[in-house]
């Protein structure tokens, strides 16, 4: 299947692209800093397998935090709802995604939700597997199914670079290890975590993942169930309450659909029953979301009445 | 219009009423402590003006925090979206409803959202009116329209008692006055605020308010617009992200509909396009929500697939 | 008794006065903003009733936070050590003097020490007296004894101005009232508190108060006991651990003597057994201490080996 | 030199030993949990090299946090005052010794002082040495000089056990590495840190270290300078403002001398110009200080008027 270029979408892209000037590309590792600031692309994958796009929709980018919602879907299948939420909370937080203070002040100490770094690290720690290799294979296989990208892989330069500098994530891990939220070797966990964050695809493939959630877990092409319905629903709920870092509340007000962003500029968005949306725009606003991507979704939501509220 | 007793609803009431034993009635003022712990009632107000109930659905209770969402709807009409959100944030918080710490650590200092006490006090401060009397009249008139309760009033004993002991709310007010989030006389504001929290009705009337939100702001009987559509939507969004105190995330996962609770045991819930729900059950869980009321909504949501996710 | 001008002191004054350019005068109320930024004066009151000075040592200024240590001395006499420290802690804090967060996170809620605003408000609340007038009279009489200033009074313009704008202190008071740390009417307390902060004297009179502490509570002229020895010692200890806001630790390292500063630029310092020092320099550093006054004490401490460590 | 048993000291020991029942022995690692709860010993090392003792003063224990002040003394010699305090603050904190929140909220992120774990880890990281072995040798040699214990060593079981479980300290280290407060390999640092905490001696030898500080850095036997005077003074100041965890303020009020405690039950105390005191009593109060040891110092301080205030 290939996507159709769409003039309406292209008009919106043209309208919001100037916003990219006001943002900044992530530069905490060199590999991300190389991104082209003005890049902007969108793909819409409809439930009936039509696809529309505008911009450089075949350009690859690393998913980063978007993986948090996919790994959550897998961990919930691996361990069950009860096990997962005994170790990670369900509540949104007004704190930044990488904050450690709440881990200290919460009693018992557990990450507030699976969309902040601490929570995602704890969730990745729950993926089943005898070895790190097996855990990693299960993650990449699951994402392969969702995206239908046969040659799905990760950007080794990004993963290596993150692994070398992710001191704050290690700090979160050791804090949680102290409080028995996670177990096992931290460096092994960091290896899996940084590799999963570096999984790369284009926004058409990301839109297809959105379509799976839009269909509550069904493969849009085969109709096969890829995610149990109750788990798909939980994932969409977290995308609404905590998907866009500590701008989630504002995004819910202004756009009103489940979405998850990543620091490389990707956004996975879901219009329930209708379609998945994949966006790539590496210029970020102060909260860490694609600055033009958010505006693009805001315009789409208003024009086509996407809001679930 | 009168409500019809409903056997299915009654069965659920019978099933969850024992939970009331595990909770506690609010006792920070004597007037609330007098509540009957085992009380439980529900009313469902359908878009077509049918109404079902089970339990003592005509028993009055004070709305307390439920008013937060109604006053927000009025303030947004009075001041516009931009004005309101310059002074109050849109983000959920993992902190308790009465916390003051975030006011200190946020820069600039502003309440994270309109559903915590600080935010609701700031929003009440925005209601238009030359005098407190006028502000109060506008609030009660607005709630009268929504509930269609002709003789709507407030419980003077509760209001007086809260006014005498609301030291923490005064602390929040003065903190915000220091930071120019609110202006004017604090005691005047406290008077209006405690009176609005003491507005009383039964769960049938509360369900009718829910029906207005379910219809995106339209009166279910007359079809008249009571709330602009974009404001109704904003209110429902906050009900999802922050309506159930710091159990909002869990409620969104388990029930998945807009809802707002109050410390007297009321819950206002909305099933979009379909119906409003009013609940009264004064026995509260540790987060301050009606312990049996939440379970009742959970069962309803599963049986009738209410979730918006 | 009159003071002798001293050439060594004058040389130090000349050396550090340029530092006043780098600081700022308190400007949160107009009456304080009128201070002359380059003012700098010091008086040393020796145990044998000699007195040395340099700079405009007869210029009056309001004591502000310096009163905290004097009111503590009075409250400890009024209520006893046990009563006072059941309600106010003994621990220094890394937080700013006006912070409220720790009140929320401490269990039970009580101010960490009597030198931060919350603690000083609680301590002022403990002063004995049937009425506010009586409490106020007892405070001013006590300070009159310590300073031997017959016509001791307060700056009404400063007091009135602070009373009108002290929203943060009111917030602290109501928070503590909620938690039963203080009782009674908050506005009455604020009246006494703002008046005591506005008590004014010159740095010679302030140095005499220092001499009383240097002599562990004895009047340097009459030998009369003005403060019980164990209370004088407690006060000096707090001056070391928390006297200079959240620069107390650094001051202890660099100067090493009991001292308490105020936002109008005063510093009360004590060299045990030897003398009291009064300083006035309204240009403040970022922590709120007299920028040149601190440097002056640092130089004196090194030249004359003042440190108690 | 040997110590003389002293009847007065023994009487105080007998008086306070029952307090050990009210405390608990540290049990976060098995090696510490083996301590005998009722143990209590004290040695006083006078400036003139007399020595008094009571209790089992030759029993060895690990110094734990007491090392923090010794490593600070060495780091200040290695790097100078300016370098050290650019990376570690001078301010006491009301937070627990192992807290991480302040690292997050402080701007720039640096440990508040060298007596909390974060600060001590940063200070240990500053010790000069081409390799960990060299750093470790320099630390143990320095402590050997201070204590004059020829065969000074560390408890390998304790060190190994702490190294295996010190997840929270690793979390603090990685957090500081993220913020460039410390550099180098964290596991290497942890190795040195856990070994230094496990250095063991008896309370006579500890009292001798106290005597060195009492003499402002001079060896009490040879008169040789072991610590520069300005550094000895800095160390004593920190012992007063932050030596007894978050009970330092209370200890300063009640005892009033420089002291540093460790979780194995040791206390190093200094009566300036006069003597050093070493205490061992493994039963701890809630703040982590030797419960009977603190009382013993309180009684001594009152009987012999030790307070520096």
């Amino acid at each position: 299947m290939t996507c159709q270029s769409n003039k309406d979408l292209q008009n919106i892209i043209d309208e919001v692209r100037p916003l990219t000037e006001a943002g900044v590309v992530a530069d905490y590792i060199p590999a991300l800093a190389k991104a082209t600031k003005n890049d902007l692309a969108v793909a819409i994958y409809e439930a009936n397998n039509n696809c529309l796009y505008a911009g450089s929709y075949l350009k690859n980018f690393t998913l980063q935090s978007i993986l948090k919602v996919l790994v959550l879907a897998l961990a919930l299948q691996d361990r069950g709802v009860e096990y997962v939420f005994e170790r990670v909370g369900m509540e949104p937080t007004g704190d930044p995604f990488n904050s450690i203070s709440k881990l200290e002040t919460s009693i018992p100490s557990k990450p507030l939700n699976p969309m902040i770094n601490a929570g995602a690290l704890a969730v990745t720690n729950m993926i089943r597997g005898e070895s790190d290799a097996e855990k990693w294979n299960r993650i990449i296989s699951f994402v392969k199914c969702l995206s239908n990208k046969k040659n799905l892989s990760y950007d080794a330069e990004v993963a290596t670079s993150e692994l070398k500098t992710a001191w704050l994530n290690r700090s979160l891990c050791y804090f949680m290890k102290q409080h028995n939220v996670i177990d096992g070797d931290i460096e092994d966990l960091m290896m899996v975590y940084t590799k999963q964050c570096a999984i790369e695809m284009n926004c058409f493939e990301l839109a297809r993942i959105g379509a799976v959630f839009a269909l509550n877990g069904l493969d849009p092409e085969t109709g096969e169930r890829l995610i149990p319905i109750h788990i798909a629903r939980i994932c969409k709920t977290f995308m609404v309450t905590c998907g866009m870092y500590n701008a989630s509340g504002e995004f819910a007000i202004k756009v009103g659909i489940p979405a998850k962003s990543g620091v490389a500029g990707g956004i996975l968005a879901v219009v329930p029953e209708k379609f998945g949306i994949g966006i790539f725009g590496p210029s970020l606003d102060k909260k860490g979301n694609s600055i033009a991507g958010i505006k693009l979704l805001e315009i789409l939501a208003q024009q086509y009445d996407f809001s679930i509220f």
Side-chain angles (χ1 to χ4, degrees), chain A:
Chain A
M1 193 186 88
T2 53
C3 264
Q4 310 281 315
S5 168
N6 180 279
K7 188 141 187 309
D8 284 354
L9 277 182
Q10 187 60 51
N11 287 342
I12 304 179
I13 289 265
D14 294 342
E15 181 185 344
V16 302
R17 197 192 299 272
L19 280 179
T20 57
E21 285 303 324
V24 289
V25 164
D27 61 358
Y28 64 94
I29 53 169
L32 287 179
K34 290 187 297 191
T36 306
K37 191 172 174 174
N38 298 116
D39 265 347
L40 189 59
V42 58
I44 297 182
Y45 194 113
E46 300 185 10
N48 61 4
N49 290 294
N50 275 339
C51 175
L52 306 175
Y53 78 86
S56 48
Y57 83 108
L58 291 178
K59 196 159 191 173
N60 274 347
F61 52 95
T62 57
L63 291 192
Q64 303 291 345
S65 289
I66 298 172
L67 249 292
K68 286 171 177 164
V69 73
L70 310 184
V71 173
L72 174 64
L74 184 57
L76 286 166
Q77 293 172 71
D78 278 6
R79 302 283 183 171
V81 171
E82 198 177 346
Y83 179 98
V84 170
F85 293 118
E86 271 169 9
R87 286 154 183 83
V88 180
M90 299 179 177
E91 296 309 315
T93 166
D95 295 319
F97 68 97
N98 55 8
S99 180
I100 199 166
S101 296
K102 270 281 167 47
L103 282 178
E104 182 164 289
T105 54
S106 298
I107 299 170
S109 176
K110 71 179 195 182
L112 273 183
N113 67 63
M115 298 296 116
I116 53 174
N117 283 16
L121 287 159
V123 167
T124 300
N125 186 244
M126 296 174 197
I127 298 300
R128 282 202 189 279
E130 291 295 307
S131 63
D132 306 314
E134 190 181 334
K135 289 181 186 199
W136 166 245
N137 283 336
R138 296 194 61 253
I139 292 169
I140 194 121
S141 298
F142 179 60
V143 180
K144 210 176 276 186
C145 282
L146 298 176
S147 63
N148 197 24
K149 180 180 175 76
K150 305 304 178 200
N151 60 342
L152 186 72
S153 185
Y154 70 99
D155 183 325
E157 183 192 351
V158 167
T160 305
S161 182
E162 298 222 21
L163 191 63
K164 268 190 202 150
T165 58
W167 313 120
L168 192 48
N169 280 345
R170 282 178 176 88
S171 179
L172 291 165
C173 283
Y174 281 111
F175 197 93
M176 290 189 285
K177 190 168 172 69
Q178 173 79 21
H179 291 280
N180 298 312
V181 177
I182 63 177
D183 53 19
D185 184 80
I186 300 304
E187 286 303 316
D188 287 351
L189 172 57
M190 288 302 301
M191 177 82 79
V192 174
Y193 187 79
T194 50
K195 275 164 77 174
Q196 83 189 18
C197 286
I199 287 177
E200 58 177 2
M201 61 179 61
N202 61 44
C203 65
F204 162 64
E205 291 147 349
L206 185 59
R208 192 194 191 273
I209 297 180
V212 175
F213 283 103
L215 295 170
N216 267 322
L218 299 182
D219 186 305
E221 289 171 282
T222 67
E224 187 191 351
R225 177 154 298 286
L226 303 179
I227 305 171
I229 185 164
H230 73 287
I231 291 178
R233 199 166 250 176
I234 289 174
C235 291
K236 283 186 289 178
T237 309
F238 278 120
M239 290 165 86
V240 167
T241 56
C242 354
M244 305 300 277
Y245 303 120
N246 52 339
S248 300
E250 184 173 352
F251 186 84
I253 296 287
K254 293 192 173 162
V255 182
I257 55 173
K260 182 76 202 83
S261 63
V263 78
I267 303 176
L268 164 69
V270 179
V271 182
E273 321 293 338
K274 298 197 183 135
F275 30 80
I277 304 177
I279 284 178
F280 171 57
S283 183
L284 307 178
D285 63 21
K286 280 172 188 166
K287 301 285 184 89
N289 295 311
S290 173
I291 190 167
I294 288 221
K295 190 65 187 174
L296 192 158
L297 282 169
E298 211 178 311
I299 292 171
L300 279 178
Q302 279 170 1
Q303 281 188 0
Y304 302 100
D305 201 26
F306 282 171
S307 173
I308 65 169
F309 297 104

